[in-house]
Amino acid sequence: MARRLARRALDDPADAGVLPTVLLIGAPKSGTTSLLAYLEAFPQLWRHPRKELHFLDGRWAWGEDWYRLQFPSAGRLAGRLAIEATPDYLQDPEAPGRAAALMPEARLIVVLREPLRRALSWFQHRQRLLGGGEEAEAVISAELEALEALSADERARLGWRSPNCLAGSLYVDQLRRWHRCYKQHQILVLRFEDLVIDPEATCHRVGRFLGLPQREMTAVVRQTLGQAWNVAPEPYPPLSSRLAGRCRRTLLSEALLLWQQL
């Protein structure tokens, strides 16, 4: 089916979609759903109705023509910016090079959460999906031991690694890969906690980054304040202070420092 659609795009180039000019690339469980909900209300942005197309990681073999078919043509877009949001892109080792090859001028938005809290949020998300009865303490402890057994070079090349709680929070290595492919001014890194505390100010930062009118941004954000998206249905699972401290002092220390300095 994907190949048939791609051939149709080649038959009618005028109908081929644009490639996105904005990528919301992660991190998972860091407020990307909320940020996208604020931004999609802005009239100068267009986003695919389905979040997480997973083209740069899971569907790369489907080809550029399939990807273009997910977006309007330049004429139909009418000057709006096209945005695609797949939080897993941040962690995928192949995604930066693939994105740069297709969209070298794209703007990238990253939202980071305090790394251990993100790990616990991901654990909870994983439990809901799998319906398992695992304990956070056991899962996090085992993952910490496994990741510490890897060399620094192995962790720097790391992609998705089950259970991906702590591995998904290794922000420094993840961002370094994207910075090799894109210039500093093309990447905006935000904090989840700032989005929660002051969504208006955070969205204004995004608006300035994308060149959007600030007065309109204020009105759009205030219209959507108070709404909740993708909220955890229950408190995050407990973790002993001993294990939490060890994670933050060792494996997550660089990510924690990066997050603190944003």
Side-chain angles (χ1 to χ4, degrees):
M1 179 64 175
R3 289 193 181 96
R4 289 202 301 271
L5 290 173
R7 282 199 297 270
R8 193 181 71 195
L10 290 173
D11 291 341
D12 189 0
D15 232 11
V18 301
L19 291 170
T21 48
V22 184
L23 294 174
L24 180 52
I25 63 174
K29 310 310 295 179
S30 296
T32 56
T33 299
S34 297
L35 179 60
L36 191 61
Y38 286 121
L39 295 180
E40 71 178 348
F42 199 82
Q44 290 189 343
L45 287 174
W46 183 95
R47 73 106 161 174
H48 195 281
R50 175 181 175 181
K51 190 185 177 210
E52 304 196 24
L53 288 177
H54 285 285
F55 173 66
L56 296 175
D57 50 4
R59 297 189 172 103
W60 178 251
W62 292 15
E64 177 184 343
D65 294 304
W66 177 86
Y67 193 43
R68 285 183 178 274
L69 276 170
Q70 309 310 307
F71 301 91
S73 65
R76 292 174 181 168
L77 204 57
R80 289 176 293 170
L81 301 178
I83 182 169
E84 198 241 307
T86 300
D88 288 346
Y89 287 165
L90 178 64
Q91 189 178 355
D92 189 276
E94 303 295 328
R98 291 170 176 175
L102 285 182
M103 300 161 282
E105 302 303 320
R107 296 296 179 106
L108 314 175
I109 302 173
V110 182
V111 190
L112 301 183
R113 186 176 192 168
E114 195 280 333
L116 187 56
R117 289 184 179 275
R118 193 222 67 87
L120 289 171
S121 180
W122 179 257
F123 171 83
Q124 185 186 60
H125 173 75
R126 180 174 176 271
Q127 291 292 90
R128 291 198 300 270
L129 291 178
L130 300 179
E134 299 172 306
E135 295 293 329
E137 187 87 5
V139 172
I140 297 292
S141 180
E143 186 181 12
L144 178 61
E145 296 284 349
L147 292 175
E148 286 184 328
L150 300 177
S151 69
D153 286 342
E154 287 173 322
R155 286 197 297 271
R157 297 191 299 270
L158 200 62
W160 184 275
R161 190 182 194 281
S162 183
N164 212 58
C165 301
L166 298 175
S169 292
L170 299 178
Y171 304 142
V172 174
D173 289 327
Q174 295 164 7
L175 279 172
R176 190 174 287 134
R177 295 192 293 244
W178 284 91
H179 278 291
R180 291 192 193 107
C181 297
Y182 284 91
K183 298 175 182 176
Q184 185 78 28
H185 74 270
Q186 290 178 269
I187 305 176
L188 175 66
V189 184
L190 307 167
R191 294 204 313 180
F192 162 84
E193 291 77 7
D194 295 331
L195 179 63
V196 172
I197 294 169
D198 195 345
E200 187 174 333
T202 303
C203 288
H204 271 286
R205 285 190 63 192
V206 177
R208 289 191 293 271
F209 176 66
L210 299 179
L212 301 176
Q214 294 295 287
R215 284 181 297 180
E216 292 182 34
M217 178 63 76
T218 296
V220 166
V221 173
R222 289 182 179 176
Q223 286 172 9
T224 53
L225 282 176
Q227 299 184 42
W229 300 278
N230 205 20
V231 176
E234 56 192 22
Y236 299 132
L239 205 64
S240 70
S241 58
R242 179 196 62 80
L243 179 57
R246 181 183 166 195
C247 288
R248 290 183 172 122
R249 287 193 308 271
T250 59
L251 185 73
L252 298 182
S253 60
E254 285 188 311
L256 182 61
L257 181 60
L258 170 66
W259 171 82
Q260 290 170 336
Q261 292 176 343
L262 289 176

